[in-house]
Amino acid sequence: MTTTTSPSRLHARTNFLPPSRLHVSVSRSFNIRRNSFSPFISPVKISTKSQIIEHVVLFKVKPDTEESKITAMINGLNGLSSLDPVVYITAGPVHRIESSSSLTFTHMLHSRYSSKEDLNAYAVHPAHVDVVREAVRPIVEDSMAVDWIVDELDGAVAVAAGSAMRVKLLRIKDGLSDEVSDALFEVIGGLKSKFPVMSQISYGKNFSPERAKGFSIASLAVVAGVIELDDLDVNSEELDSQKERVKDTVDSVLVIDYVIQP
């Protein structure tokens, strides 16, 4: 187990995380200053559909990459908010990551779309392709992505700047049926009532397995800020109960804490 702790209250204990885990504070490991890139305020778009497609991409930037190149990647990805298919997008450094495997990432992109067709249109849009080719691929040594459908999103489509997210990805043990997914969704769906600091929770089954490294269940919880992220870890009795319910079905867990830059 490898542990690195940043100065800002990084005493993480994460839901469903098995005892053997990797805990990394990315911002310190890669010497990324949180204000090292220009603030970007994306225009707020309102989706007319209740269904939302969630798209999360994780990046591992090569060690010793120049900060100017990291800045170019972040600004380039955030600039894609101007594309018509994009309802909402944010990209920046990972605040904290915990993994029960060897996987680790330094940056995250989260975006939302009104349909799978819009997500596909974004993926092949020339502006997106250019950013990936010119700013992302040259400095990234690993990446993964998950996509899932939310039929009824409980809250605003655009997440406010300064808010924080906890993205949790689960890899299910081989040979288990779809009933396992239903049981996990029941557990995840009940989190908001048990953790009042959550203003929004989204979850579903990944429909893009080719880039997900075997992770099939995803959830995303929104809270007011970094302090509230830590508040998610306070109720140890409730967390232990949840871990007990899923321990026999989950093979690996990846948890990413991310803060939307102001």
Side-chain angles (χ1 to χ4, degrees):
M1 180 178 72
T2 302
T3 303
T4 306
T5 306
S6 80
S8 59
R9 303 186 59 195
L10 302 190
H11 57 284
R13 298 185 303 276
T14 306
N15 307 359
F16 307 149
L17 194 64
S20 176
R21 65 189 186 183
L22 171 71
H23 180 188
V24 180
S25 171
V26 175
S27 60
R28 180 172 177 178
S29 300
F30 286 82
N31 193 28
I32 298 168
R33 297 190 302 271
R34 298 204 181 281
N35 59 353
S36 63
F37 54 92
S38 301
F40 186 93
I41 301 174
S42 61
V44 176
K45 301 178 184 179
I46 304 300
S47 172
T48 58
K49 298 182 179 181
S50 60
Q51 184 186 84
I52 288 294
I53 305 298
E54 301 275 31
H55 177 61
V56 171
V57 185
L58 301 173
F59 308 96
K60 184 179 180 181
V61 172
K62 298 174 185 176
D64 302 321
T65 299
E66 296 175 10
E67 287 201 24
S68 61
K69 294 181 178 180
I70 297 174
T71 298
M73 179 184 77
I74 293 171
N75 288 344
L77 292 171
N78 278 315
L80 297 174
S81 64
S82 62
L83 303 184
D84 286 341
V86 178
V87 175
Y88 168 77
I89 194 168
T90 177
V94 167
H95 173 67
R96 175 172 54 210
I97 183 168
E98 295 194 30
S99 175
S100 58
S101 69
S102 60
L103 289 174
T104 184
F105 298 95
T106 62
H107 292 76
M108 189 182 93
L109 175 144
H110 170 234
S111 53
R112 287 173 166 170
Y113 308 84
S114 295
S115 65
K116 286 185 178 181
E117 291 75 19
D118 284 349
L119 173 58
N120 292 334
Y122 159 82
V124 300
H125 195 287
H128 173 252
V129 173
D130 285 347
V131 169
V132 172
R133 182 182 65 248
E134 298 174 7
V136 178
R137 286 180 181 168
I139 68 171
V140 167
E141 66 180 20
D142 194 15
S143 66
M144 65 175 287
V146 292
D147 305 302
W148 70 97
I149 301 172
V150 183
D151 289 326
E152 294 290 341
L153 187 68
D154 56 338
V157 174
V159 183
S163 302
M165 299 177 181
R166 175 164 291 177
V167 176
K168 187 174 302 179
L169 307 177
L170 307 180
R171 183 189 290 150
I172 307 304
K173 292 181 179 179
D174 293 337
L176 298 180
S177 67
D178 290 340
E179 293 179 0
V180 171
S181 298
D182 294 338
L184 289 171
F185 291 149
E186 181 181 351
V187 173
I188 298 170
L191 290 177
K192 189 176 179 183
S193 62
K194 299 178 185 298
F195 294 89
V197 296
M198 291 184 182
S199 61
Q200 183 181 95
I201 188 165
S202 158
Y203 55 91
K205 190 171 183 177
N206 174 52
F207 61 78
S208 302
E210 63 279 357
R211 297 183 60 196
K213 297 185 184 294
F215 289 88
S216 60
I217 303 297
S219 67
L220 185 155
V222 177
V223 296
V226 175
I227 293 176
E228 287 74 16
L229 280 177
D230 292 335
D231 289 343
L232 291 176
D233 304 313
V234 170
N235 191 341
S236 59
E237 182 177 347
E238 182 62 38
L239 296 182
D240 290 342
S241 173
Q242 293 168 4
K243 291 175 186 178
E244 186 66 25
R245 292 180 66 183
V246 303
K247 69 177 184 178
D248 294 331
T249 61
V250 175
D251 179 62
S252 184
V253 181
L254 183 61
V255 181
I256 304 95
D257 287 348
Y258 172 82
V259 179
I260 295 89
Q261 296 297 320

